[in-house]
Amino acid sequence: MHAKDTTCFAVSVVGADRPGIVAGITEVFYRLGCNIADSSCAMLAGEFAMILIVSHKKPFTKAHLLEELKPVCDRLEMTLSVRHLSSSEEQRAETAGEICQITVYGADQPGIVYRVTSALAARRINIMDLQTKLAGSEEEPVYIMLLEAALPEGIIPEEVEQLLSGLKQELQVEIGVRIITPVEL
Amino acid sequence: MAVQTILKYPHPLLKKLARSVVRLDDEIKALLQDLLDTMEAGPGSVGVAAPQIGVGLRVCVVDVSKSRHGKDNNHGRLLMVNPEIVERSGCAVMREGCMSVPDYTGDVERATEITVRFLDGQSEEQREIQASGFEAVAIQHEMDHLDGILFLDRVVSIATGLFRRKNYR
C-alpha cells in the first residue's frame, strides 16, 4: 500500500466536539507534507474522534509529528495518541473467506456486545467494523449493533448463524447474518 | 483477438458519455472480441464495457455463467450493442468492485429485475431479455460505464445506513 521510502503512523485524537477540529489537525499534516492515507471520524454523544493513518517520506520521526500536533491538541483540548507502524502492520492481510454483515438488535441489556463478539472470537472470526447505537425510548431502550466480520476460510455464513442462535434465545435479541463479500464486475 | 488494458480512474474516458454505434461492422465485431478476451483474462470478471478499454462507444459484454452468484440464472454470454433498459423493478444492495477502481468496493443499490433491449453482437439482430439477480446487477454496472458512471457515483454511505433522527415532528 505504501512505498518503501515512506514511514507510517496511526494518529488518534478525541475530545469534546467543536468547530475546527478536523481543520486544525489536518493543517499540521498539510504543513509537514504528510499524506492522509485513510481516515475515519465519528461523533459519539458530544465526543468527536478522529483516527488517521498518515504517511511521510523518510526520514521523519514520531517525535517530530508529536511535537507539531501537541500544541494544536492542547488548544482544542483533545487527547492525542501517535503510534509508529512497522512496515508489516501497514499491509492489511487479505482474507480468504467470506465477509459477513451481522445485525443484532433487541431490548438493551448488559453484555450484548461482549457475548456476541466473544462467540465470534472463539471461532477466529475477525471483526473489521463495528457500530452500535442505543435507540428506542428511555423506558424501553433498544440496542442495535451492526458489525462486519471476515470469516476464516471454510466457515460458511450458516455456521455463524448457528453459532449465534443460542445467544439469540438466551438474550432474546434478533440476529441476522448476510454475506457482503464484494462481487467483481 | 487481444486482451486490452483496463483503464483505471481517473482516466477521463471513464467519466464520459459513450456514443451510440451506427452500424455493426467489422470494427465493432473486433471490439466485441477484444471485450470478450479482456473479460476472460480478468480475474473473476463478469463484464467489460468499451470505455474501460479506451473506446467511447455503447458496447459491452456480460457473462455471469461462470460466477458463483450467477451460474444458475443467466443468459450466457451477452454481446450488447447500444443496450437500453426498458423496464426495471425491485431493488437490492450488493457490495461491488470494479477493475477500473481497484482496491475499493462499495455498497450499491440496483434494480433486481430488468428488461434490456440491445443489438445482439452474435445474431446481429435486436434482442430483448429479462435479467434478474446477479446478471441484472452486472448488466446495470456495465451499462453505467457507457454513461460515465462508476459505482463510486452510486455509493450510498461509506459508514452505515443507520442515522439518528435529527428531530421529531
Side-chain angles (χ1 to χ4, degrees), chain B:
Chain B
M1 285 198 19
V3 175
Q4 301 291 337
T5 309
I6 294 277
L7 300 184
K8 299 196 169 84
Y9 185 77
H11 193 289
L13 197 61
L14 292 168
K15 294 301 297 171
K16 287 232 172 69
L17 190 68
R19 282 173 292 117
S20 293
V21 169
V22 183
R23 217 160 48 85
L24 213 175
D25 53 17
D26 288 348
E27 200 183 316
I28 300 299
K29 286 178 194 164
L31 169 62
L32 283 163
Q33 191 57 54
D34 280 356
L35 290 170
L36 287 173
D37 294 342
T38 309
M39 172 172 72
E40 271 145 32
S45 171
V46 295
V48 180
Q52 289 182 283
I53 60 166
V55 180
L57 288 171
R58 303 189 77 79
V59 180
C60 62
V61 298
V62 169
D63 183 1
V64 300
S65 66
K66 292 175 200 87
S67 77
R68 183 164 65 115
H69 298 283
K71 62 178 190 297
D72 300 324
N73 174 20
N74 64 77
H75 290 82
R77 255 186 189 188
L78 292 168
L79 281 63
M80 311 171 105
V81 177
N82 298 336
E84 254 181 286
I85 294 177
V86 291
E87 226 179 289
R88 62 179 84 219
S89 63
C91 72
V93 173
M94 263 194 151
R95 187 159 294 185
E96 297 185 9
C98 176
M99 291 189 285
S100 292
V101 189
D103 303 334
Y104 285 88
T105 59
D107 288 348
V108 180
E109 192 178 277
R110 303 212 186 255
T112 49
E113 275 147 59
I114 54 170
T115 303
V116 205
R117 193 180 293 158
F118 57 96
L119 176 57
D120 188 341
Q122 279 159 316
S123 68
E124 303 188 23
E125 281 170 12
Q126 283 293 327
R127 187 177 169 196
E128 197 174 286
I129 60 163
Q130 267 100 43
S132 60
F134 185 50
E135 187 178 51
V137 170
I139 293 170
Q140 291 171 83
H141 177 105
E142 298 314 328
M143 283 183 63
D144 266 355
H145 281 300
L146 310 181
D147 292 328
I149 295 169
L150 298 173
F151 78 82
L152 293 176
D153 295 300
R154 298 204 185 272
V155 168
V156 187
S157 155
I158 356 184
T160 164
L162 185 71
F163 297 98
R164 187 175 289 274
R165 225 190 262 268
K166 293 284 185 292
N167 48 43
Y168 299 85
R169 290 187 177 210

Side-chain angles (χ1 to χ4, degrees), chain A residues 38-67:
Chain A
D38 243 330
S39 74
S40 186
C41 298
M43 181 141 73
L44 306 175
E47 288 292 295
F48 189 78
M50 289 177 82
I51 172 158
L52 311 99
I53 303 296
V54 299
S55 64
H56 194 284
K57 246 189 145 58
K58 284 175 184 166
F60 188 80
T61 63
K62 175 181 159 182
H64 182 42
L65 186 57
L66 267 173
E67 182 190 322

Side-chain angles (χ1 to χ4, degrees), chain A residues 1-8 58 84-92:
Chain A
M1 179 171 161
H2 300 289
K4 278 209 176 76
D5 58 347
T6 63
T7 180
C8 281
K58 284 175 184 166
H84 178 247
L85 300 187
S86 67
S87 49
S88 62
E89 283 177 307
E90 291 165 24
Q91 314 275 329
R92 175 136 147 227

